[in-house]
Structures are given as structure tokens and as C-alpha cells.
PDB file of all heavy atoms in Angstrom:
ATOM      1  N   PRO D 145     -33.084  40.534  32.363  1.00 81.00           N
ATOM      2  CA  PRO D 145     -32.012  41.296  33.012  1.00 81.00           C
ATOM      3  C   PRO D 145     -31.699  42.569  32.226  1.00 81.00           C
ATOM      4  O   PRO D 145     -31.894  42.626  31.011  1.00 81.00           O
ATOM      5  CB  PRO D 145     -30.825  40.330  32.987  1.00 81.00           C
ATOM      6  CG  PRO D 145     -31.448  38.980  32.899  1.00 81.00           C
ATOM      7  CD  PRO D 145     -32.683  39.145  32.081  1.00 81.00           C
ATOM      8  N   LYS D 146     -31.210  43.589  32.897  1.00 84.00           N
ATOM      9  CA  LYS D 146     -30.953  44.873  32.248  1.00 84.00           C
ATOM     10  C   LYS D 146     -29.878  44.749  31.168  1.00 84.00           C
ATOM     11  O   LYS D 146     -28.982  43.898  31.242  1.00 84.00           O
ATOM     12  CB  LYS D 146     -30.533  45.914  33.274  1.00 84.00           C
ATOM     13  CG  LYS D 146     -29.216  45.616  33.983  1.00 84.00           C
ATOM     14  CD  LYS D 146     -28.918  46.689  35.019  1.00 84.00           C
ATOM     15  CE  LYS D 146     -27.598  46.391  35.741  1.00 84.00           C
ATOM     16  NZ  LYS D 146     -27.304  47.401  36.776  1.00 84.00           N
ATOM     17  N   ILE D 147     -30.006  45.565  30.147  1.00 86.00           N
ATOM     18  CA  ILE D 147     -29.030  45.643  29.054  1.00 86.00           C
ATOM     19  C   ILE D 147     -28.228  46.917  29.262  1.00 86.00           C
ATOM     20  O   ILE D 147     -28.790  48.018  29.308  1.00 86.00           O
ATOM     21  CB  ILE D 147     -29.744  45.659  27.691  1.00 86.00           C
ATOM     22  CG1 ILE D 147     -30.540  44.362  27.513  1.00 86.00           C
ATOM     23  CG2 ILE D 147     -28.750  45.847  26.560  1.00 86.00           C
ATOM     24  CD1 ILE D 147     -31.517  44.396  26.368  1.00 86.00           C
ATOM     25  N   VAL D 148     -26.940  46.796  29.409  1.00 89.00           N
ATOM     26  CA  VAL D 148     -26.097  47.922  29.807  1.00 89.00           C
ATOM     27  C   VAL D 148     -25.527  48.628  28.579  1.00 89.00           C
ATOM     28  O   VAL D 148     -24.903  47.992  27.715  1.00 89.00           O
ATOM     29  CB  VAL D 148     -24.956  47.449  30.722  1.00 89.00           C
ATOM     30  CG1 VAL D 148     -24.088  48.629  31.136  1.00 89.00           C
ATOM     31  CG2 VAL D 148     -25.525  46.762  31.957  1.00 89.00           C
ATOM     32  N   PHE D 149     -25.762  49.927  28.492  1.00 91.00           N
ATOM     33  CA  PHE D 149     -25.150  50.772  27.462  1.00 91.00           C
ATOM     34  C   PHE D 149     -23.832  51.345  27.984  1.00 91.00           C
ATOM     35  O   PHE D 149     -23.635  51.466  29.195  1.00 91.00           O
ATOM     36  CB  PHE D 149     -26.084  51.911  27.089  1.00 91.00           C
ATOM     37  CG  PHE D 149     -27.219  51.522  26.171  1.00 91.00           C
ATOM     38  CD1 PHE D 149     -28.288  50.782  26.644  1.00 91.00           C
ATOM     39  CD2 PHE D 149     -27.223  51.895  24.836  1.00 91.00           C
ATOM     40  CE1 PHE D 149     -29.331  50.420  25.816  1.00 91.00           C
ATOM     41  CE2 PHE D 149     -28.256  51.540  23.994  1.00 91.00           C
ATOM     42  CZ  PHE D 149     -29.320  50.804  24.479  1.00 91.00           C
ATOM     43  N   ASP D 150     -22.957  51.728  27.063  1.00 91.00           N
ATOM     44  CA  ASP D 150     -21.726  52.418  27.427  1.00 91.00           C
ATOM     45  C   ASP D 150     -21.876  53.928  27.348  1.00 91.00           C
ATOM     46  O   ASP D 150     -20.896  54.657  27.526  1.00 91.00           O
ATOM     47  CB  ASP D 150     -20.578  51.989  26.499  1.00 91.00           C
ATOM     48  CG  ASP D 150     -20.177  50.544  26.720  1.00 91.00           C
ATOM     49  OD1 ASP D 150     -20.363  50.041  27.845  1.00 91.00           O
ATOM     50  OD2 ASP D 150     -19.688  49.911  25.769  1.00 91.00           O
ATOM     51  N   ILE D 151     -23.078  54.392  27.023  1.00 92.00           N
ATOM     52  CA  ILE D 151     -23.338  55.820  26.929  1.00 92.00           C
ATOM     53  C   ILE D 151     -24.675  56.112  27.621  1.00 92.00           C
ATOM     54  O   ILE D 151     -25.408  55.197  27.983  1.00 92.00           O
ATOM     55  CB  ILE D 151     -23.413  56.295  25.461  1.00 92.00           C
ATOM     56  CG1 ILE D 151     -24.635  55.669  24.756  1.00 92.00           C
ATOM     57  CG2 ILE D 151     -22.135  55.975  24.707  1.00 92.00           C
ATOM     58  CD1 ILE D 151     -24.893  56.222  23.367  1.00 92.00           C
ATOM     59  N   VAL D 152     -24.960  57.399  27.802  1.00 89.00           N
ATOM     60  CA  VAL D 152     -26.297  57.827  28.210  1.00 89.00           C
ATOM     61  C   VAL D 152     -27.055  58.134  26.913  1.00 89.00           C
ATOM     62  O   VAL D 152     -26.808  59.159  26.280  1.00 89.00           O
ATOM     63  CB  VAL D 152     -26.239  59.080  29.102  1.00 89.00           C
ATOM     64  CG1 VAL D 152     -27.644  59.537  29.453  1.00 89.00           C
ATOM     65  CG2 VAL D 152     -25.435  58.795  30.365  1.00 89.00           C
ATOM     66  N   PRO D 153     -27.965  57.266  26.479  1.00 88.00           N
ATOM     67  CA  PRO D 153     -28.614  57.455  25.172  1.00 88.00           C
ATOM     68  C   PRO D 153     -29.728  58.493  25.248  1.00 88.00           C
ATOM     69  O   PRO D 153     -30.898  58.167  25.408  1.00 88.00           O
ATOM     70  CB  PRO D 153     -29.151  56.055  24.857  1.00 88.00           C
ATOM     71  CG  PRO D 153     -29.379  55.423  26.187  1.00 88.00           C
ATOM     72  CD  PRO D 153     -28.378  56.020  27.131  1.00 88.00           C
ATOM     73  N   VAL D 154     -29.354  59.769  25.116  1.00 86.00           N
ATOM     74  CA  VAL D 154     -30.334  60.839  25.275  1.00 86.00           C
ATOM     75  C   VAL D 154     -31.259  60.968  24.066  1.00 86.00           C
ATOM     76  O   VAL D 154     -32.295  61.631  24.140  1.00 86.00           O
ATOM     77  CB  VAL D 154     -29.652  62.192  25.531  1.00 86.00           C
ATOM     78  CG1 VAL D 154     -28.860  62.168  26.818  1.00 86.00           C
ATOM     79  CG2 VAL D 154     -28.771  62.594  24.361  1.00 86.00           C
ATOM     80  N   ALA D 155     -30.897  60.363  22.941  1.00 92.00           N
ATOM     81  CA  ALA D 155     -31.756  60.395  21.753  1.00 92.00           C
ATOM     82  C   ALA D 155     -31.661  59.057  21.041  1.00 92.00           C
ATOM     83  O   ALA D 155     -30.668  58.326  21.178  1.00 92.00           O
ATOM     84  CB  ALA D 155     -31.354  61.529  20.821  1.00 92.00           C
ATOM     85  N   ILE D 156     -32.707  58.742  20.257  1.00 95.00           N
ATOM     86  CA  ILE D 156     -32.797  57.414  19.646  1.00 95.00           C
ATOM     87  C   ILE D 156     -33.613  57.511  18.366  1.00 95.00           C
ATOM     88  O   ILE D 156     -34.503  58.358  18.245  1.00 95.00           O
ATOM     89  CB  ILE D 156     -33.439  56.420  20.638  1.00 95.00           C
ATOM     90  CG1 ILE D 156     -33.392  54.993  20.126  1.00 95.00           C
ATOM     91  CG2 ILE D 156     -34.872  56.831  20.970  1.00 95.00           C
ATOM     92  CD1 ILE D 156     -33.762  53.970  21.189  1.00 95.00           C
ATOM     93  N   ALA D 157     -33.291  56.676  17.388  1.00 97.00           N
ATOM     94  CA  ALA D 157     -34.048  56.651  16.130  1.00 97.00           C
ATOM     95  C   ALA D 157     -34.068  55.239  15.578  1.00 97.00           C
ATOM     96  O   ALA D 157     -33.136  54.450  15.796  1.00 97.00           O
ATOM     97  CB  ALA D 157     -33.429  57.612  15.115  1.00 97.00           C
ATOM     98  N   ASN D 158     -35.150  54.909  14.856  1.00 97.00           N
ATOM     99  CA  ASN D 158     -35.281  53.593  14.227  1.00 97.00           C
ATOM    100  C   ASN D 158     -34.446  53.512  12.961  1.00 97.00           C
ATOM    101  O   ASN D 158     -34.396  54.466  12.175  1.00 97.00           O
ATOM    102  CB  ASN D 158     -36.750  53.335  13.852  1.00 97.00           C
ATOM    103  CG  ASN D 158     -37.635  53.192  15.064  1.00 97.00           C
ATOM    104  OD1 ASN D 158     -37.534  52.232  15.807  1.00 97.00           O
ATOM    105  ND2 ASN D 158     -38.505  54.170  15.264  1.00 97.00           N
ATOM    106  N   LEU D 159     -33.825  52.348  12.744  1.00 97.00           N
ATOM    107  CA  LEU D 159     -33.088  52.087  11.513  1.00 97.00           C
ATOM    108  C   LEU D 159     -33.862  51.082  10.650  1.00 97.00           C
ATOM    109  O   LEU D 159     -34.686  50.318  11.166  1.00 97.00           O
ATOM    110  CB  LEU D 159     -31.694  51.553  11.839  1.00 97.00           C
ATOM    111  CG  LEU D 159     -30.795  52.516  12.637  1.00 97.00           C
ATOM    112  CD1 LEU D 159     -29.451  51.851  12.934  1.00 97.00           C
ATOM    113  CD2 LEU D 159     -30.591  53.835  11.887  1.00 97.00           C
ATOM    114  N   PRO D 160     -33.614  51.053   9.341  1.00 96.00           N
ATOM    115  CA  PRO D 160     -34.398  50.187   8.450  1.00 96.00           C
ATOM    116  C   PRO D 160     -34.312  48.700   8.772  1.00 96.00           C
ATOM    117  O   PRO D 160     -35.247  47.951   8.471  1.00 96.00           O
ATOM    118  CB  PRO D 160     -33.795  50.478   7.060  1.00 96.00           C
ATOM    119  CG  PRO D 160     -33.171  51.820   7.182  1.00 96.00           C
ATOM    120  CD  PRO D 160     -32.676  51.919   8.585  1.00 96.00           C
ATOM    121  N   ASP D 161     -33.221  48.249   9.377  1.00 95.00           N
ATOM    122  CA  ASP D 161     -33.050  46.817   9.646  1.00 95.00           C
ATOM    123  C   ASP D 161     -33.618  46.392  10.996  1.00 95.00           C
ATOM    124  O   ASP D 161     -33.412  45.256  11.435  1.00 95.00           O
ATOM    125  CB  ASP D 161     -31.580  46.424   9.555  1.00 95.00           C
ATOM    126  CG  ASP D 161     -30.696  47.148  10.561  1.00 95.00           C
ATOM    127  OD1 ASP D 161     -31.228  47.981  11.338  1.00 95.00           O
ATOM    128  OD2 ASP D 161     -29.469  46.893  10.571  1.00 95.00           O
ATOM    129  N   GLY D 162     -34.345  47.283  11.669  1.00 95.00           N
ATOM    130  CA  GLY D 162     -34.935  46.946  12.960  1.00 95.00           C
ATOM    131  C   GLY D 162     -34.077  47.312  14.146  1.00 95.00           C
ATOM    132  O   GLY D 162     -34.528  47.226  15.292  1.00 95.00           O
ATOM    133  N   LYS D 163     -32.830  47.708  13.909  1.00 96.00           N
ATOM    134  CA  LYS D 163     -31.968  48.158  15.004  1.00 96.00           C
ATOM    135  C   LYS D 163     -32.321  49.596  15.364  1.00 96.00           C
ATOM    136  O   LYS D 163     -33.063  50.275  14.657  1.00 96.00           O
ATOM    137  CB  LYS D 163     -30.496  48.030  14.619  1.00 96.00           C
ATOM    138  CG  LYS D 163     -30.020  46.605  14.371  1.00 96.00           C
ATOM    139  CD  LYS D 163     -28.523  46.590  14.070  1.00 96.00           C
ATOM    140  CE  LYS D 163     -27.989  45.168  13.884  1.00 96.00           C
ATOM    141  NZ  LYS D 163     -28.496  44.547  12.639  1.00 96.00           N
ATOM    142  N   LEU D 164     -31.766  50.065  16.481  1.00 97.00           N
ATOM    143  CA  LEU D 164     -31.971  51.425  16.949  1.00 97.00           C
ATOM    144  C   LEU D 164     -30.619  52.102  17.109  1.00 97.00           C
ATOM    145  O   LEU D 164     -29.697  51.514  17.678  1.00 97.00           O
ATOM    146  CB  LEU D 164     -32.694  51.427  18.300  1.00 97.00           C
ATOM    147  CG  LEU D 164     -34.043  50.717  18.354  1.00 97.00           C
ATOM    148  CD1 LEU D 164     -34.536  50.634  19.792  1.00 97.00           C
ATOM    149  CD2 LEU D 164     -35.071  51.434  17.499  1.00 97.00           C
ATOM    150  N   VAL D 165     -30.508  53.314  16.588  1.00 97.00           N
ATOM    151  CA  VAL D 165     -29.283  54.075  16.806  1.00 97.00           C
ATOM    152  C   VAL D 165     -29.533  55.041  17.955  1.00 97.00           C
ATOM    153  O   VAL D 165     -30.556  55.728  18.013  1.00 97.00           O
ATOM    154  CB  VAL D 165     -28.829  54.824  15.537  1.00 97.00           C
ATOM    155  CG1 VAL D 165     -29.893  55.792  15.029  1.00 97.00           C
ATOM    156  CG2 VAL D 165     -27.517  55.553  15.788  1.00 97.00           C
ATOM    157  N   THR D 166     -28.630  55.063  18.919  1.00 96.00           N
ATOM    158  CA  THR D 166     -28.736  55.959  20.070  1.00 96.00           C
ATOM    159  C   THR D 166     -27.464  56.793  20.138  1.00 96.00           C
ATOM    160  O   THR D 166     -26.404  56.375  19.666  1.00 96.00           O
ATOM    161  CB  THR D 166     -28.900  55.171  21.383  1.00 96.00           C
ATOM    162  OG1 THR D 166     -27.636  54.589  21.752  1.00 96.00           O
ATOM    163  CG2 THR D 166     -29.937  54.071  21.239  1.00 96.00           C
ATOM    164  N   TRP D 167     -27.590  57.966  20.731  1.00 94.00           N
ATOM    165  CA  TRP D 167     -26.392  58.785  20.898  1.00 94.00           C
ATOM    166  C   TRP D 167     -26.496  59.622  22.156  1.00 94.00           C
ATOM    167  O   TRP D 167     -27.571  59.923  22.644  1.00 94.00           O
ATOM    168  CB  TRP D 167     -26.141  59.666  19.671  1.00 94.00           C
ATOM    169  CG  TRP D 167     -27.211  60.633  19.306  1.00 94.00           C
ATOM    170  CD1 TRP D 167     -27.333  61.934  19.703  1.00 94.00           C
ATOM    171  CD2 TRP D 167     -28.325  60.395  18.437  1.00 94.00           C
ATOM    172  NE1 TRP D 167     -28.445  62.519  19.154  1.00 94.00           N
ATOM    173  CE2 TRP D 167     -29.068  61.589  18.355  1.00 94.00           C
ATOM    174  CE3 TRP D 167     -28.771  59.284  17.711  1.00 94.00           C
ATOM    175  CZ2 TRP D 167     -30.224  61.707  17.597  1.00 94.00           C
ATOM    176  CZ3 TRP D 167     -29.921  59.401  16.953  1.00 94.00           C
ATOM    177  CH2 TRP D 167     -30.637  60.593  16.894  1.00 94.00           C
ATOM    178  N   SER D 168     -25.315  59.953  22.701  1.00 87.00           N
ATOM    179  CA  SER D 168     -25.243  60.815  23.869  1.00 87.00           C
ATOM    180  C   SER D 168     -24.834  62.206  23.405  1.00 87.00           C
ATOM    181  O   SER D 168     -24.716  62.485  22.219  1.00 87.00           O
ATOM    182  CB  SER D 168     -24.253  60.268  24.890  1.00 87.00           C
ATOM    183  OG  SER D 168     -22.936  60.358  24.384  1.00 87.00           O
ATOM    184  N   SER D 169     -24.602  63.081  24.357  1.00 76.00           N
ATOM    185  CA  SER D 169     -24.298  64.463  24.036  1.00 76.00           C
ATOM    186  C   SER D 169     -23.182  64.950  24.947  1.00 76.00           C
ATOM    187  O   SER D 169     -23.281  64.810  26.160  1.00 76.00           O
ATOM    188  CB  SER D 169     -25.556  65.299  24.239  1.00 76.00           C
ATOM    189  OG  SER D 169     -25.321  66.647  23.985  1.00 76.00           O
ATOM    190  N   LYS D 170     -22.136  65.473  24.375  1.00 73.00           N
ATOM    191  CA  LYS D 170     -20.952  66.002  25.054  1.00 73.00           C
ATOM    192  C   LYS D 170     -20.027  64.891  25.533  1.00 73.00           C
ATOM    193  O   LYS D 170     -18.927  64.745  25.047  1.00 73.00           O
ATOM    194  CB  LYS D 170     -21.310  66.937  26.198  1.00 73.00           C
ATOM    195  CG  LYS D 170     -20.105  67.665  26.792  1.00 73.00           C
ATOM    196  CD  LYS D 170     -20.517  68.659  27.854  1.00 73.00           C
ATOM    197  CE  LYS D 170     -19.319  69.345  28.473  1.00 73.00           C
ATOM    198  NZ  LYS D 170     -18.602  70.218  27.531  1.00 73.00           N
ATOM    199  N   TYR D 171     -20.468  64.095  26.527  1.00 76.00           N
ATOM    200  CA  TYR D 171     -19.672  62.980  27.019  1.00 76.00           C
ATOM    201  C   TYR D 171     -20.487  61.699  26.911  1.00 76.00           C
ATOM    202  O   TYR D 171     -21.712  61.748  26.810  1.00 76.00           O
ATOM    203  CB  TYR D 171     -19.256  63.193  28.480  1.00 76.00           C
ATOM    204  CG  TYR D 171     -18.501  64.472  28.733  1.00 76.00           C
ATOM    205  CD1 TYR D 171     -19.007  65.442  29.584  1.00 76.00           C
ATOM    206  CD2 TYR D 171     -17.267  64.708  28.114  1.00 76.00           C
ATOM    207  CE1 TYR D 171     -18.317  66.624  29.824  1.00 76.00           C
ATOM    208  CE2 TYR D 171     -16.566  65.885  28.349  1.00 76.00           C
ATOM    209  CZ  TYR D 171     -17.096  66.835  29.203  1.00 76.00           C
ATOM    210  OH  TYR D 171     -16.425  67.997  29.431  1.00 76.00           O
ATOM    211  N   HIS D 172     -19.821  60.561  27.011  1.00 79.00           N
ATOM    212  CA  HIS D 172     -20.562  59.309  26.921  1.00 79.00           C
ATOM    213  C   HIS D 172     -21.424  59.062  28.150  1.00 79.00           C
ATOM    214  O   HIS D 172     -22.411  58.324  28.090  1.00 79.00           O
ATOM    215  CB  HIS D 172     -19.605  58.129  26.705  1.00 79.00           C
ATOM    216  CG  HIS D 172     -18.817  57.743  27.925  1.00 79.00           C
ATOM    217  ND1 HIS D 172     -17.670  58.409  28.293  1.00 79.00           N
ATOM    218  CD2 HIS D 172     -19.022  56.779  28.860  1.00 79.00           C
ATOM    219  CE1 HIS D 172     -17.196  57.865  29.398  1.00 79.00           C
ATOM    220  NE2 HIS D 172     -17.987  56.877  29.768  1.00 79.00           N
ATOM    221  N   ASP D 173     -21.080  59.702  29.274  1.00 78.00           N
ATOM    222  CA  ASP D 173     -21.824  59.468  30.506  1.00 78.00           C
ATOM    223  C   ASP D 173     -22.412  60.741  31.098  1.00 78.00           C
ATOM    224  O   ASP D 173     -22.775  60.792  32.264  1.00 78.00           O
ATOM    225  CB  ASP D 173     -20.917  58.793  31.548  1.00 78.00           C
ATOM    226  CG  ASP D 173     -19.681  59.634  31.869  1.00 78.00           C
ATOM    227  OD1 ASP D 173     -19.471  60.678  31.211  1.00 78.00           O
ATOM    228  OD2 ASP D 173     -18.927  59.246  32.779  1.00 78.00           O
ATOM    229  N   ASP D 174     -22.519  61.789  30.301  1.00 72.00           N
ATOM    230  CA  ASP D 174     -23.060  63.050  30.783  1.00 72.00           C
ATOM    231  C   ASP D 174     -23.597  63.825  29.579  1.00 72.00           C
ATOM    232  O   ASP D 174     -23.413  63.415  28.438  1.00 72.00           O
ATOM    233  CB  ASP D 174     -21.973  63.853  31.499  1.00 72.00           C
ATOM    234  CG  ASP D 174     -22.549  64.924  32.421  1.00 72.00           C
ATOM    235  OD1 ASP D 174     -23.783  65.050  32.477  1.00 72.00           O
ATOM    236  OD2 ASP D 174     -21.751  65.636  33.058  1.00 72.00           O
ATOM    237  N   PHE D 175     -24.265  64.961  29.842  1.00 67.00           N
ATOM    238  CA  PHE D 175     -24.760  65.774  28.746  1.00 67.00           C
ATOM    239  C   PHE D 175     -24.681  67.239  29.125  1.00 67.00           C
ATOM    240  O   PHE D 175     -24.451  67.589  30.281  1.00 67.00           O
ATOM    241  CB  PHE D 175     -26.198  65.395  28.383  1.00 67.00           C
ATOM    242  CG  PHE D 175     -27.206  65.686  29.465  1.00 67.00           C
ATOM    243  CD1 PHE D 175     -27.846  66.910  29.540  1.00 67.00           C
ATOM    244  CD2 PHE D 175     -27.507  64.724  30.414  1.00 67.00           C
ATOM    245  CE1 PHE D 175     -28.768  67.169  30.534  1.00 67.00           C
ATOM    246  CE2 PHE D 175     -28.439  64.973  31.409  1.00 67.00           C
ATOM    247  CZ  PHE D 175     -29.064  66.203  31.478  1.00 67.00           C
ATOM    248  N   GLY D 176     -24.887  68.094  28.139  1.00 64.00           N
ATOM    249  CA  GLY D 176     -24.823  69.530  28.369  1.00 64.00           C
ATOM    250  C   GLY D 176     -23.578  70.123  27.762  1.00 64.00           C
ATOM    251  O   GLY D 176     -22.596  69.431  27.500  1.00 64.00           O
TER     252      GLY D 176
END
């Protein structure tokens, strides 16, 4: 089943512990 984010993850990077950090831009549900 889909995993729901609270943001639009426009970028992503690997972390040392195997997790992923994601971030949006401007707003949590929009960009620009």
C-alpha cells in the first residue's frame, strides 16, 4: 500500500543509518 508523505518531496538524500531525508520547497504541498 502507498506510503503517504506530508510534503511534496522534491529532493532526497541518503543518510548514514539507511534512512532518507526528503524536503519540499516553498510550501509543504507546492513548490516554486
Side-chain angles (χ1 to χ4, degrees):
K146 64 182 180 181
I147 299 167
V148 180
F149 282 73
D150 292 333
I151 66 172
V152 177
V154 298
I156 187 169
N158 293 292
L159 298 178
D161 61 359
K163 296 183 177 69
L164 303 172
V165 59
T166 75
W167 60 92
S168 68
S169 178
K170 189 176 178 67
Y171 304 118
H172 74 278
D173 59 354
D174 200 359
F175 65 89

